[in-house]
Amino acid sequence: MRSPARGRKVTDRGSPRIEEGKAAVLRHLESFARLFDTDREILVGGLGPPVSHLAGHELIPVDALLDTPMFILSGWACRAFSLPDGRRQILDFYIAGDLVGYSSRPPSRAKASYLCLTNTICAGASELIARTHDQPQRYPGLTAAWRGIEDEIERRLIDQIVCTGRMLAHERMMHLIGDISRRLKRAGMGSNDGFVMPLTQEALGDALGLSTVHVNRVLQQMRRERIIRTALGRVEILNPQLAEDAITTPH
Amino acid sequence: MVIDRSQTRLGFLAHWYGLSGLFGGAGRKGGVPMSRFYFNFRQGASFSVDDEGCEFPSVEEAYLGAVAAAQDMWRELLIRREDPFACAFEVTDIKGRELFTLPFSELLEACRDHSAAPIPKPLAGNATSSRVDKR
């Protein structure tokens, strides 16, 4: 059986992209809990080697054991469920700093598959998580962070149900853009000048439950109304209040 | 006016970067060459030009894409109390040549073609007064 996390090992481990990714991991974890010196020490040495995957690669197939959690260091991934006729629902996006495929309830299995939407670099977190689970008192910050991450995954799933079930198309889009902007800022990868969002109209449609042409229409309408500005993979929110208002659940 | 989008800055840059989708130009998907189609939207007297476009492998797929979007948009138009019958997609290729027009009314016509059941006639008076009469 092939390893779900199979990919190409990155030889240039000190590249700025990987260092930025590790910094994003740290910021992500710190957003959930205060990290102590012991937490930081194990984090420095406990991450697996960086492994690169091409866009379209399936990191974890549906029904696979969730025993290979990994941090995204760069690139975008998603959790998606496909129907037999090819229709697909994207349930969540994962950006740099995010933990993919984690469950605190072994032997859990993946209820949906985890896919790379762009070329992606990941670092295994199995050993790191196992060591902190073995000695929770020694690593209180990380132990709290794992709980926080699971909590956030559940919150984002609820967000996604409310978004696709009850919101109008432009509200769904604004909700998604606002949420991604907030998460990228948390990871230190977004700014008020905008952020990189390398998603196709098809991926946006699969996440928002809209057809590709409708996604195109909504984006154009938002540009015309000067709510957002887009250019070559970058999105800038021109009306941040509207973006904040569209995020309905408390964070 | 015919707009040759292959000559626009965005079209050129998108093609250069080989991007597809949100900011993209013509590319390939699963080995299938994709073409870019522009879904200009007419609603009554207003007309909005699609300056981004969407990729599809053929005109037939682009037509199905327009149908799917019209189905999505139908419900939202009704919620906003706007008439879907006044709406249409006018689809062009990258050279600005008109390929087809999809009036939203065509969606209903497609349903009627396949429906054997007669369309129920509305009751005399509105629904509220009918309920009041019964009481």
Side-chain angles (χ1 to χ4, degrees), chain B residues 49-61:
Chain B
V49 175
D50 177 3
D51 51 18
E52 188 88 35
C54 297
E55 287 186 337
F56 288 98
S58 64
V59 179
E60 289 77 15
E61 291 292 328

PDB file of all heavy atoms in Angstrom, chain B residues 49-61:
ATOM      1  N   VAL B  49     -20.511  43.410 -18.715  1.00  0.00           N
ATOM      2  CA  VAL B  49     -19.522  42.670 -19.511  1.00  0.00           C
ATOM      3  C   VAL B  49     -18.691  41.800 -18.576  1.00  0.00           C
ATOM      4  O   VAL B  49     -18.242  42.261 -17.519  1.00  0.00           O
ATOM      5  CB  VAL B  49     -18.610  43.660 -20.274  1.00  0.00           C
ATOM      6  CG1 VAL B  49     -17.496  42.922 -21.001  1.00  0.00           C
ATOM      7  CG2 VAL B  49     -19.433  44.477 -21.252  1.00  0.00           C
ATOM      8  N   ASP B  50     -18.498  40.549 -18.940  1.00  0.00           N
ATOM      9  CA  ASP B  50     -17.631  39.638 -18.191  1.00  0.00           C
ATOM     10  C   ASP B  50     -16.198  39.874 -18.666  1.00  0.00           C
ATOM     11  O   ASP B  50     -15.852  39.550 -19.796  1.00  0.00           O
ATOM     12  CB  ASP B  50     -18.072  38.188 -18.467  1.00  0.00           C
ATOM     13  CG  ASP B  50     -17.166  37.163 -17.790  1.00  0.00           C
ATOM     14  OD1 ASP B  50     -16.245  37.566 -17.072  1.00  0.00           O
ATOM     15  OD2 ASP B  50     -17.410  35.955 -17.991  1.00  0.00           O
ATOM     16  N   ASP B  51     -15.365  40.464 -17.797  1.00  0.00           N
ATOM     17  CA  ASP B  51     -13.990  40.736 -18.217  1.00  0.00           C
ATOM     18  C   ASP B  51     -13.006  39.681 -17.699  1.00  0.00           C
ATOM     19  O   ASP B  51     -11.799  39.821 -17.858  1.00  0.00           O
ATOM     20  CB  ASP B  51     -13.548  42.142 -17.790  1.00  0.00           C
ATOM     21  CG  ASP B  51     -13.815  42.394 -16.330  1.00  0.00           C
ATOM     22  OD1 ASP B  51     -14.018  41.417 -15.596  1.00  0.00           O
ATOM     23  OD2 ASP B  51     -13.833  43.569 -15.921  1.00  0.00           O
ATOM     24  N   GLU B  52     -13.526  38.643 -17.054  1.00  0.00           N
ATOM     25  CA  GLU B  52     -12.651  37.595 -16.491  1.00  0.00           C
ATOM     26  C   GLU B  52     -12.786  36.286 -17.272  1.00  0.00           C
ATOM     27  O   GLU B  52     -11.805  35.675 -17.660  1.00  0.00           O
ATOM     28  CB  GLU B  52     -13.031  37.355 -15.041  1.00  0.00           C
ATOM     29  CG  GLU B  52     -12.099  36.460 -14.288  1.00  0.00           C
ATOM     30  CD  GLU B  52     -10.949  37.236 -13.667  1.00  0.00           C
ATOM     31  OE1 GLU B  52     -11.151  38.383 -13.248  1.00  0.00           O
ATOM     32  OE2 GLU B  52      -9.858  36.674 -13.608  1.00  0.00           O
ATOM     33  N   GLY B  53     -14.021  35.860 -17.454  1.00  0.00           N
ATOM     34  CA  GLY B  53     -14.283  34.629 -18.200  1.00  0.00           C
ATOM     35  C   GLY B  53     -14.099  33.371 -17.364  1.00  0.00           C
ATOM     36  O   GLY B  53     -13.590  33.417 -16.248  1.00  0.00           O
ATOM     37  N   CYS B  54     -14.541  32.253 -17.923  1.00  0.00           N
ATOM     38  CA  CYS B  54     -14.402  30.939 -17.282  1.00  0.00           C
ATOM     39  C   CYS B  54     -13.890  29.961 -18.327  1.00  0.00           C
ATOM     40  O   CYS B  54     -14.169  30.120 -19.512  1.00  0.00           O
ATOM     41  CB  CYS B  54     -15.751  30.412 -16.803  1.00  0.00           C
ATOM     42  SG  CYS B  54     -16.534  31.395 -15.551  1.00  0.00           S
ATOM     43  N   GLU B  55     -13.201  28.937 -17.843  1.00  0.00           N
ATOM     44  CA  GLU B  55     -12.662  27.938 -18.763  1.00  0.00           C
ATOM     45  C   GLU B  55     -13.578  26.733 -18.887  1.00  0.00           C
ATOM     46  O   GLU B  55     -14.083  26.234 -17.880  1.00  0.00           O
ATOM     47  CB  GLU B  55     -11.303  27.463 -18.264  1.00  0.00           C
ATOM     48  CG  GLU B  55     -10.219  28.483 -18.459  1.00  0.00           C
ATOM     49  CD  GLU B  55      -8.865  27.916 -18.091  1.00  0.00           C
ATOM     50  OE1 GLU B  55      -8.808  26.949 -17.311  1.00  0.00           O
ATOM     51  OE2 GLU B  55      -7.871  28.444 -18.587  1.00  0.00           O
ATOM     52  N   PHE B  56     -13.746  26.289 -20.123  1.00  0.00           N
ATOM     53  CA  PHE B  56     -14.486  25.048 -20.398  1.00  0.00           C
ATOM     54  C   PHE B  56     -13.819  24.354 -21.582  1.00  0.00           C
ATOM     55  O   PHE B  56     -13.211  25.015 -22.431  1.00  0.00           O
ATOM     56  CB  PHE B  56     -15.956  25.353 -20.723  1.00  0.00           C
ATOM     57  CG  PHE B  56     -16.757  25.788 -19.525  1.00  0.00           C
ATOM     58  CD1 PHE B  56     -16.981  27.137 -19.282  1.00  0.00           C
ATOM     59  CD2 PHE B  56     -17.260  24.859 -18.624  1.00  0.00           C
ATOM     60  CE1 PHE B  56     -17.701  27.548 -18.169  1.00  0.00           C
ATOM     61  CE2 PHE B  56     -17.976  25.264 -17.510  1.00  0.00           C
ATOM     62  CZ  PHE B  56     -18.201  26.608 -17.279  1.00  0.00           C
ATOM     63  N   PRO B  57     -13.960  23.030 -21.666  1.00  0.00           N
ATOM     64  CA  PRO B  57     -13.297  22.322 -22.769  1.00  0.00           C
ATOM     65  C   PRO B  57     -13.984  22.520 -24.117  1.00  0.00           C
ATOM     66  O   PRO B  57     -13.364  22.289 -25.151  1.00  0.00           O
ATOM     67  CB  PRO B  57     -13.351  20.854 -22.335  1.00  0.00           C
ATOM     68  CG  PRO B  57     -14.379  20.764 -21.283  1.00  0.00           C
ATOM     69  CD  PRO B  57     -14.494  22.104 -20.645  1.00  0.00           C
ATOM     70  N   SER B  58     -15.275  22.921 -24.121  1.00  0.00           N
ATOM     71  CA  SER B  58     -15.992  23.059 -25.403  1.00  0.00           C
ATOM     72  C   SER B  58     -17.150  24.032 -25.232  1.00  0.00           C
ATOM     73  O   SER B  58     -17.521  24.381 -24.099  1.00  0.00           O
ATOM     74  CB  SER B  58     -16.532  21.693 -25.833  1.00  0.00           C
ATOM     75  OG  SER B  58     -17.494  21.247 -24.893  1.00  0.00           O
ATOM     76  N   VAL B  59     -17.738  24.424 -26.356  1.00  0.00           N
ATOM     77  CA  VAL B  59     -18.908  25.316 -26.313  1.00  0.00           C
ATOM     78  C   VAL B  59     -20.068  24.607 -25.604  1.00  0.00           C
ATOM     79  O   VAL B  59     -20.820  25.226 -24.842  1.00  0.00           O
ATOM     80  CB  VAL B  59     -19.334  25.724 -27.747  1.00  0.00           C
ATOM     81  CG1 VAL B  59     -20.556  26.621 -27.710  1.00  0.00           C
ATOM     82  CG2 VAL B  59     -18.201  26.440 -28.449  1.00  0.00           C
ATOM     83  N   GLU B  60     -20.188  23.297 -25.833  1.00  0.00           N
ATOM     84  CA  GLU B  60     -21.276  22.542 -25.206  1.00  0.00           C
ATOM     85  C   GLU B  60     -21.159  22.596 -23.681  1.00  0.00           C
ATOM     86  O   GLU B  60     -22.141  22.800 -22.967  1.00  0.00           O
ATOM     87  CB  GLU B  60     -21.263  21.071 -25.675  1.00  0.00           C
ATOM     88  CG  GLU B  60     -21.689  20.848 -27.107  1.00  0.00           C
ATOM     89  CD  GLU B  60     -20.604  21.225 -28.128  1.00  0.00           C
ATOM     90  OE1 GLU B  60     -19.428  21.388 -27.733  1.00  0.00           O
ATOM     91  OE2 GLU B  60     -20.938  21.380 -29.316  1.00  0.00           O
ATOM     92  N   GLU B  61     -19.908  22.425 -23.191  1.00  0.00           N
ATOM     93  CA  GLU B  61     -19.688  22.480 -21.734  1.00  0.00           C
ATOM     94  C   GLU B  61     -19.948  23.893 -21.219  1.00  0.00           C
ATOM     95  O   GLU B  61     -20.453  24.073 -20.102  1.00  0.00           O
ATOM     96  CB  GLU B  61     -18.257  22.042 -21.393  1.00  0.00           C
ATOM     97  CG  GLU B  61     -17.984  20.562 -21.631  1.00  0.00           C
ATOM     98  CD  GLU B  61     -18.741  19.655 -20.673  1.00  0.00           C
ATOM     99  OE1 GLU B  61     -18.979  20.052 -19.529  1.00  0.00           O
ATOM    100  OE2 GLU B  61     -19.114  18.541 -21.090  1.00  0.00           O
TER     101      GLU B  61
END
